[in-house]
Amino acid sequence: QDARKKLRAHIWAAAAELQAAPDVWEKHQLETCPARRVRRHRYDAVAMEWRVDESLAKVADAVFDEGAMRRCYRAKKLSFGYVKRFHALEWKKAPNFVVKEYKAPLENDEEKDLRAFDDVRLQAEAALYAARFNTELRPPKPIHMIACCVLELIDDPSWPPLCAERYIDGNDAFGRGFVKHNSNSGYVDGVEHRQTPQAFSAHSFYASGGDIMVCDIQGVDDLYTDPQLHSVDESRGEGDLGRRGMALFFATCDSGANGLFPLLGIPHFELTPAERRRAAESAAAERRETEAALKAPTGHVHFAGLPEKSKMSQHDERRKSLLDAARHCRRDAKKADSDRRKDDERHRACVQANLDHCGGGPKCRDT
């Protein structure tokens, strides 16, 4: 009973603090946007099922940010089911959300609608690995994966399903805002040098027996969002680079220099001599870039961390080429498998015809 009272008091205190905090999107006047009925889909990764309810949301018409694949809109959403007393709802105090719409066209509209559901399912699966990281290793700073959901506009079917999550605002204890710690194509942040995000990615690999790796870790402090998963069967969406993506992470993440790995009991991933040589060359190139930036002529404005940011953009540009390479590898593997099956069929046909001299393969074709 005492524990429940303390928890209840803590929740009410946190709610009061949240209500008293200023609205960072107040100037955008989202409360004046028309309210829309939405159907919310949340994924339970433990039960592996979807939970559906309805609520109200207000979505801005203008795009406030966009990437290569999605557009982002500001929104406010009620955290409870909509009620008939619509005039009594206080939209100014409703929490801020970011809703994301895919903009890349697909030949199959059905697949386009499913991409939002795939993103939510991936993030829920990553949250399970985050919970295991906290309970099994007990790191100095626990991590959390923000919850997200799929929103369907009930009265406006022209909108595709939207991926929605709470807006992350603020900075960590050191004044850092939103930081991208690693990517799905081998990038590892060399500016902030955070150890916890890299330890989480490595632990997900070992916790799954080498089948899964959670990467593309980004967010504010240790509240992460929008991750990507690599899997051995490459079944986690377009950004899943499979074993190649896992290898790229370990090739650029120096687990030996990360002091958190041995403290948490995470094994050291031994690199080949060629990988160590490439890692040393990359580190030397980064040092040369930093030294050249520090020696920039006076009168020129130099932004700290600029070489790393440009390198990050290079990694993002390589993403499409890596995906294309992975597709080519899968296509070649399928072709080789098909050729092998055809050889086996020819060999069986020869054996049935009592051609014992046939050894299969090219000999089989010669007969």
Side-chain angles (χ1 to χ4, degrees):
Q1 294 293 335
D2 292 339
R4 288 184 178 180
K5 288 181 180 179
K6 289 181 180 179
L7 178 61
R8 189 180 296 111
H10 179 73
I11 292 175
W12 278 106
E17 183 179 352
L18 183 63
Q19 290 288 340
D23 184 2
V24 295
W25 284 353
E26 183 179 5
K27 63 180 181 181
H28 301 289
Q29 298 181 345
L30 295 178
E31 66 275 4
T32 62
C33 297
R36 306 170 187 262
R37 290 194 305 147
V38 294
R39 186 176 293 112
R40 181 178 63 169
H41 301 262
R42 294 175 296 168
Y43 186 70
D44 186 342
V46 177
M48 300 182 66
E49 62 181 14
W50 291 91
R51 306 187 187 280
V52 184
D53 56 15
E54 294 186 2
S55 185
L56 289 174
K58 294 195 173 190
V59 183
D61 295 327
V63 175
F64 81 93
D65 197 7
E66 63 181 306
M69 300 173 64
R70 295 180 294 189
R71 303 182 185 91
C72 298
Y73 300 86
R74 294 183 178 90
K76 282 183 175 292
K77 189 186 76 66
L78 298 179
S79 56
F80 50 85
Y82 69 90
V83 295
K84 294 181 179 179
R85 296 178 58 198
F86 180 76
H87 63 280
L89 301 179
E90 297 187 34
W91 283 101
K92 287 188 177 182
K93 295 183 180 180
N96 293 325
F97 275 75
V98 176
V99 295
K100 304 172 185 178
E101 174 198 14
Y102 275 96
K103 63 180 182 181
L106 285 178
E107 296 179 1
N108 190 344
D109 291 337
E110 225 175 85
E111 291 183 5
K112 181 178 180 180
D113 291 343
L114 291 177
R115 285 190 290 184
F117 290 90
D118 291 339
D119 283 351
V120 172
R121 188 185 296 108
L122 286 181
Q123 195 147 329
E125 187 176 357
L128 288 183
Y129 284 100
R132 290 187 61 179
F133 180 75
N134 294 333
T135 55
E136 295 177 4
L137 303 187
R138 297 187 178 277
K141 297 189 68 178
I143 64 173
H144 302 280
M145 197 68 63
I146 192 170
C148 61
C149 61
V150 176
L151 296 183
E152 286 185 296
L153 275 60
I154 299 175
D155 301 320
D156 192 353
S158 63
W159 280 75
L162 305 171
C163 183
E165 62 184 27
R166 290 286 294 268
Y167 172 68
I168 303 178
D169 181 43
N171 302 313
D172 61 10
F174 300 96
R176 295 174 295 211
F178 195 93
V179 178
K180 190 178 184 71
H181 301 289
N182 60 42
S183 75
N184 70 325
S185 58
Y187 167 79
V188 172
D189 173 55
V191 178
E192 303 298 341
H193 295 288
R194 288 290 314 280
Q195 298 183 8
T196 302
Q198 318 309 339
F200 169 51
S201 292
H203 174 261
S204 65
F205 173 79
Y206 292 110
S208 65
D211 292 337
I212 297 290
M213 174 180 282
V214 183
C215 60
D216 207 5
I217 308 300
Q218 54 194 318
V220 177
D221 199 9
D222 287 299
L223 179 61
Y224 304 147
T225 180
D226 205 12
Q228 176 60 53
L229 272 66
H230 293 318
S231 61
V232 292
D233 57 356
E234 300 183 14
S235 60
R236 268 51 174 199
E238 297 179 1
D240 184 356
L241 302 182
R243 290 188 176 92
R244 177 176 174 80
M246 300 177 191
L248 287 172
F249 168 78
F250 282 115
T252 52
C253 175
D254 189 356
S255 59
N258 192 319
L260 197 59
F261 277 50
L263 291 176
L264 298 180
I266 300 176
H268 171 62
F269 192 90
E270 189 65 32
L271 300 178
T272 64
E275 289 171 333
R276 288 197 296 269
R277 183 172 62 254
R278 285 194 294 268
E281 292 173 355
S282 177
E286 290 178 6
R287 284 195 298 270
R288 288 193 296 269
E289 290 178 2
T290 304
E291 292 172 0
L294 292 175
K295 293 178 182 179
T298 57
H300 293 269
V301 179
H302 169 64
F303 297 95
L306 187 58
E308 292 294 336
K309 289 180 181 292
S310 66
K311 186 176 181 182
M312 183 65 241
S313 64
Q314 292 173 8
H315 277 281
D316 287 340
E317 290 171 359
R318 287 180 56 203
R319 181 176 183 178
K320 186 177 182 299
S321 63
L322 289 172
L323 291 175
D324 291 339
R327 293 191 188 98
H328 289 315
C329 289
R330 288 195 295 269
R331 184 190 62 191
D332 294 342
K334 289 180 180 178
K335 185 177 183 300
D337 187 54
S338 176
D339 292 342
R340 192 160 45 248
R341 285 198 302 269
K342 290 179 180 177
D343 286 340
D344 292 341
E345 290 174 0
R346 292 191 186 100
H347 177 63
R348 283 194 295 269
C350 291
V351 171
Q352 290 174 0
N354 294 323
L355 297 178
D356 296 334
H357 64 280
C358 173
K363 294 181 180 178
C364 183
R365 286 195 293 272
D366 292 340
T367 58

